[in-house]
Amino acid sequence: MRIATWNINSVRLRLPQVLKFIEEQGIDIICLQETKTPNEYFPTEEFKKIGMIHQYFRGEKSYNGVAILSKVEFSNEQYIDWCMKNDTRHVSVKLKDGTEIHNFYIPAGGDEPDIVINPKFEHKMSFLNEIKNYFSTNIKNQKILVGDLNIAPLENDVWSHKQLLNVVSHTPLETETLLEIINTGEWADVMREFVPTNQKLYSWWSYRNRNWEISNRGRRLDHVWVSKKLLSSVRSGIIYKETRSWERPSDHVPIIIDIDI
DNA sequence: ATGGTGGAAGGTCCA
């Protein structure tokens, strides 16, 4: 099974790119974030034409929005209303073998890394703490968690650990909380099983840098986690950087894993 | 210290 995750920053604008990616890479299940589209405008038929006939998505106007599109059957479509915001940042499904797939778009958190003065950062931290609680009490089932988690947890997940220590996405409060979620949930960080932690690894490069590839000031904000017991089934993990060079790209690139399930 | 760009909007928020 080939599973991908990608923050595509508008599914309607980026539709040709997503279709091309799915077809060229032979993706079986894709999890999208920032679709930025209410459900009634989601391009259902276009995805069905290329075989992604099983679909579960939740969107809203302009912001957020997540989708799971699949060639293989799934059931138990659910979402959790984290922080009771009634936004569209999570969907989950269950595959035939019982594996749960959770697709997250965690709040970015604004600019100021202070939960007292910045409500967006408070939202991000509350969201993380709810996830931590949820998965610490549900560790029995085998699961896959993917998405734009908006945190680069390790030193080499950012271009400069020292310069980003006080920048939202790499502050100790966020990175420590994310690592706690990994530990208490008995997750494995799939990309770091394939790329050692002493090597730089990014999935996002800001639009605000025209020379993104040369300056290479990236961050690893997108992740694929699997239950530890599933790790031996994972055959490969790739951050597919090519899409960042496509015309009118997303600022995030996809991650692809191959897993024997 | 600041601003740089992009998306959904059709002003302004969010990233």
Side-chain angles (χ1 to χ4, degrees):
Chain A
M1 195 89 72
R2 181 160 260 209
I3 303 175
T5 178
W6 194 4
N7 177 324
I8 34 86
N9 189 14
S10 170
V11 70
R12 284 188 283 176
L13 185 72
R14 224 76 68 192
L15 180 63
Q17 295 192 25
V18 182
L19 296 174
K20 172 184 158 84
F21 171 73
I22 291 168
E23 293 210 286
E24 286 184 357
Q25 297 303 314
I27 304 299
D28 297 303
I29 303 173
I30 190 163
C31 298
L32 303 174
Q33 303 88 36
E34 282 208 273
T35 54
K36 293 188 170 178
T37 308
N39 279 5
E40 58 264 39
Y41 299 132
F42 194 92
T44 303
E45 292 307 318
E46 288 84 346
F47 285 113
K48 282 187 179 166
K49 278 181 197 158
I50 63 161
M52 307 303 265
I53 59 173
H54 307 281
Q55 309 184 354
Y56 180 49
F57 46 80
R58 294 179 61 240
E60 61 193 280
K61 196 170 109 178
S62 299
Y63 305 113
N64 311 320
V66 285
I68 301 177
L69 312 173
S70 174
K71 291 173 181 165
V72 301
E73 197 180 335
F74 55 64
S75 61
N76 287 63
E77 298 92 336
Q78 290 177 20
Y79 70 89
I80 293 171
D81 184 16
W82 308 95
C83 304
M84 295 198 295
K85 295 269 187 188
N86 198 29
D87 55 12
T88 54
R89 295 179 177 275
H90 170 259
V91 282
S92 67
V93 300
K94 192 179 275 194
L95 302 182
K96 267 191 165 174
D97 74 340
T99 306
E100 292 176 25
I101 300 182
H102 290 264
N103 179 16
F104 278 97
Y105 175 52
I106 290 181
D111 288 329
E112 195 62 48
D114 185 329
I115 60 171
V116 177
I117 63 171
N118 177 6
K120 290 180 195 168
F121 194 70
E122 194 281 328
H123 180 208
K124 185 179 199 176
M125 292 312 306
S126 298
F127 200 111
L128 289 168
N129 285 312
E130 288 190 11
I131 290 178
K132 187 170 98 178
N133 291 335
Y134 179 81
F135 286 111
S136 63
T137 59
N138 286 277
I139 50 178
K140 52 202 176 299
N141 304 332
Q142 57 180 28
K143 295 184 291 290
I144 300 171
L145 184 157
V146 307
D148 176 4
L149 307 187
N150 267 314
I151 297 173
L154 306 177
E155 293 198 8
N156 285 318
D157 291 340
V158 292
W159 62 275
S160 168
H161 171 61
K162 282 183 182 169
Q163 284 179 255
L164 290 175
L165 266 175
N166 201 35
V167 172
V168 171
S169 75
H170 195 62
T171 65
L173 184 59
E174 295 166 83
T175 59
E176 285 164 15
T177 305
L178 200 72
L179 295 174
E180 279 173 27
I181 298 172
I182 291 177
N183 288 331
T184 57
E186 296 182 21
W187 295 104
D189 176 351
V190 170
M191 281 314 303
R192 281 307 187 185
E193 298 290 332
F194 291 96
V195 181
T197 53
N198 64 0
Q199 288 181 32
K200 294 288 185 190
L201 189 60
Y202 312 136
S203 66
W204 172 88
W205 292 261
S206 172
Y207 283 128
R208 296 179 188 181
N209 191 339
R210 278 271 165 85
N211 298 313
W212 68 274
E213 196 160 21
I214 291 165
S215 59
N216 200 24
R217 295 186 167 190
R219 302 178 203 171
R220 187 169 73 106
L221 304 179
D222 304 274
H223 300 270
V224 174
W225 299 347
V226 301
S227 301
K228 271 187 180 163
K229 61 185 97 169
L230 260 182
L231 187 56
S232 60
S233 305
V234 180
R235 297 290 167 231
S236 68
I238 293 166
I239 296 189
Y240 191 74
K241 192 179 170 184
E242 284 90 324
T243 64
R244 192 63 179 77
S245 302
W246 290 0
E247 202 172 328
R248 295 196 82 182
S250 169
D251 45 354
H252 296 255
V253 300
I255 303 174
I256 305 168
I257 69 158
D258 288 302
I259 183 166
D260 295 334
I261 51 171

